Amino acid sequence: MTTASSADTPAVVAEARTEARRRPAAAGSALAYLRYVGGKLAGAVVSLFAVLVTSFFLFRIIPGDPVRTMTHGRQVSAEQLAHLRSQFGLDLPVWRQFTDYCGKALTGDLGTSYQFHAPVGSLIAQKLPATLLLTGTAVVLYSTLGIWLGTRSAWRHGRLGDRFHTGLALTLWSVPSFWLGLLLIITFSVGAGPIPGLFPTGGMESGDTTGFAHVLDVAHHMVLPVLTLVAVQYAQTLLVMRSSLLDEMGGDYLTTARAKGLRDDAVRRQHAVPNALLPTVTMLFINLGHVAAGSILVETVFSWPGLGGLFYQALSVPDLPLVQGLFVVFAGAMILMNLLADLLYPLLDPRVGR
């Protein structure tokens, strides 16, 4: 009995020492991650404050008098103009307007629209579903397509397919989205030569359908704007994924994986692609931020009733509370998505945040 106990003692002692070493390492790793998260959260707060400052001062340099625009050119007296300026707080000093704006924004009050005479928050809530439907569908499609084609192009770089996809991506990435949208309208909505008009020229629905027919009607209206967004944006995803994977393909760990007898497809899926995803993950989260912002030009060209079209309407007045509110929502979505990407990095690559 004593012999067995003495034989087990070195193993027990070694295990205890190993466990003692693990605990400080784990504690230090957790502390480093908490510092990393704290730094990212602080950076997000600072960025959001910068957005509030920018949104207030940037749009006040836009030419035009909002009060005179609200009167639509009607003859109004100086007293009426002064009353309107007082009603909307435009007669206050700039510093007072700024402090009032920041205080209300921090409580979720984005002000009242000059032209719609409604709370900015409610206007954004009304238009947000249409934007999420359009750009959300486009983001899923072009992210999936870009990652798949980018992976195939990099893995078979130099071949005909790689040269074709890369050249097409570079061409489409340089095309302005509004110009491509106008071409699609001319070709597939109005009709060009033997091609008949197949799709609506704009809007989200015809207005005379219900049930499943309404779903098909909305999908019919979505085809051209979604195609415009996918054609322009998938190119960026393809090029970033291709470049990242090409950087990984010379790694020694891939040679080791092949030496172990793994098939080429398994090496790509299990080893190369996961390590090449970090830059693409950043871009995907940025694209998710664009889901809230939508695409101002594409929504305007196709008369899509979303936040992009609302932003264009607000700029034309200028409707300062609505423009500022939309700018804060757009930028806030981008900040949030970047923060989530930063917090996800340590899960994909343990070296990050250590």
Side-chain angles (χ1 to χ4, degrees):
M1 192 70 176
T2 306
T3 305
S5 176
S6 61
D8 291 341
T9 300
V12 172
V13 171
E15 184 177 353
R17 288 176 178 174
T18 303
E19 184 65 24
R21 284 195 297 267
R22 282 177 185 166
R23 286 175 184 170
S29 178
L31 184 60
Y33 181 70
L34 288 177
R35 285 199 299 265
Y36 173 79
V37 171
K40 295 300 180 181
L41 288 174
V45 171
V46 172
S47 298
L48 187 57
F49 178 74
V51 166
L52 290 176
V53 175
T54 304
S55 67
F56 179 83
F57 291 102
L58 177 63
F59 298 109
R60 275 166 170 72
I61 64 176
I62 299 175
D65 186 348
V67 173
R68 288 196 175 275
T69 305
M70 283 186 286
T71 61
H72 301 288
R74 295 191 298 268
Q75 292 293 331
V76 292
S77 64
E79 290 78 10
Q80 291 173 315
L81 290 175
H83 175 72
L84 286 174
R85 289 194 174 90
S86 175
Q87 180 181 352
F88 291 105
L90 297 175
D91 59 335
L92 297 174
V94 174
W95 67 268
R96 177 67 182 278
Q97 295 182 45
F98 175 68
T99 55
D100 290 347
Y101 166 70
C102 289
K104 291 179 179 179
L106 293 176
T107 61
D109 182 2
L110 298 176
T112 302
S113 169
Y114 294 163
Q115 57 181 326
F116 297 105
H117 303 286
V120 170
S122 65
L123 291 173
I124 293 175
Q126 291 172 12
K127 299 292 185 179
L128 183 60
T131 289
L132 294 180
L133 177 63
L134 177 66
T135 56
T137 303
V139 165
V140 171
L141 291 177
Y142 69 66
S143 297
T144 304
L145 184 64
I147 291 176
W148 180 61
L149 290 178
T151 301
R152 291 177 63 86
S153 294
W155 206 250
R156 302 175 182 178
H157 66 282
R159 299 183 184 180
L160 179 62
D162 174 40
R163 293 197 298 268
F164 171 76
H165 288 303
T166 304
L168 181 62
L170 288 171
T171 301
L172 291 174
W173 182 237
S174 63
V175 171
S177 58
F178 71 90
W179 183 77
L180 180 60
L182 290 173
L183 284 183
L184 292 178
I185 290 175
I186 293 171
T187 305
F188 297 106
S189 293
V190 178
I195 303 176
L198 301 174
F199 300 99
T201 56
M204 182 177 174
E205 56 187 358
S206 300
D208 54 355
T209 57
T210 57
F212 186 68
H214 176 71
V215 174
L216 292 178
D217 181 47
V218 173
H220 190 217
H221 283 75
M222 286 177 59
V223 170
L224 291 186
V226 167
L227 181 60
T228 302
L229 291 171
V230 170
V232 174
Q233 296 291 337
Y234 99 95
Q236 181 189 25
T237 310
L238 184 151
L239 294 173
V240 171
M241 187 64 197
R242 180 181 180 274
S243 176
S244 300
L245 190 53
L246 284 175
D247 290 340
E248 296 293 332
M249 285 177 62
D252 294 335
Y253 68 96
L254 297 184
T255 304
T256 303
R258 290 189 180 97
K260 290 179 178 179
L262 290 180
R263 297 177 58 185
D264 200 53
D265 287 344
V267 173
R268 183 183 72 244
R269 290 194 309 269
Q270 299 175 16
H271 297 277
V273 171
N275 284 283
L277 275 178
L278 275 182
T280 309
V281 165
T282 302
M283 189 182 54
L284 290 179
F285 273 90
I286 292 175
N287 291 338
L288 289 175
H290 282 302
V291 170
S295 177
I296 297 172
L297 295 177
V298 172
E299 288 191 11
T300 302
V301 167
F302 288 96
S303 302
W304 190 263
L307 295 181
L310 185 64
F311 189 75
Y312 177 80
Q313 286 180 288
L315 278 176
S316 62
V317 173
D319 189 339
L320 294 180
L322 186 53
V323 168
Q324 292 170 175
L326 287 168
F327 184 82
V328 169
V329 170
F330 295 165
M334 296 297 297
I335 292 171
L336 177 61
M337 290 300 108
N338 275 296
L339 176 62
L340 291 178
D342 288 335
L343 297 183
L344 182 63
Y345 275 171
L347 302 179
L348 299 176
D349 187 348
R351 295 171 298 178
V352 178
R354 297 293 185 268

